[in-house]
Amino acid sequence: MPHYQAWEEFTRAAEKLYLADPMKVRVVLKYRHCDGNLCIKVTDDVACLLYRTDQAQDVKKIEKFHSQLMRLMVAKESRSTAMETD
């Protein structure tokens, strides 16, 4: 399970994973108060991408990316063009 250190690398890999097979991808957000870590995991049961942070400014980035993925999952339009326009 690769742990990404750079946010941009993680988002590119997660978008690529989602666009490859949207019906199999799951997104999980996990916050551990005792450690102060927020973790986002994107998986399709074959590949698992993980980004973990303890920085407060990264929370907005994760929230924006998560809502972008959720919009794509419920959109009726073409998924490949929607990700590129945002």
Side-chain angles (χ1 to χ4, degrees):
M1 182 174 353
H3 293 268
Y4 285 88
Q5 300 297 324
W7 174 248
E8 292 78 20
E9 290 178 27
F10 173 77
T11 56
R12 278 194 300 267
E15 288 173 4
K16 186 176 176 182
L17 186 66
Y18 175 76
L19 292 174
D21 193 0
M23 295 304 291
K24 289 187 177 182
V25 172
R26 294 187 316 272
V27 179
V28 178
L29 284 173
K30 182 178 178 182
Y31 176 70
R32 287 181 45 100
H33 180 72
C34 61
D35 297 334
N37 286 335
L38 179 64
C39 177
I40 182 168
K41 180 168 78 168
V42 180
T43 183
D44 67 352
D45 292 331
V46 175
C48 184
L49 311 173
L50 190 66
Y51 181 77
R52 183 173 290 145
T53 186
D54 59 355
Q55 302 297 314
Q57 65 262 20
D58 287 342
V59 173
K60 277 290 189 191
K61 292 180 196 175
I62 291 173
E63 182 182 13
K64 183 178 177 183
F65 180 69
H66 186 254
S67 64
Q68 181 182 6
L69 281 177
M70 293 301 113
R71 278 195 316 268
L72 282 175
M73 289 179 181
V74 298
K76 291 183 180 179
E77 65 183 39
S78 173
R79 287 179 169 87
S80 60
T81 59
M83 185 65 95
E84 294 169 357
T85 60
D86 286 341

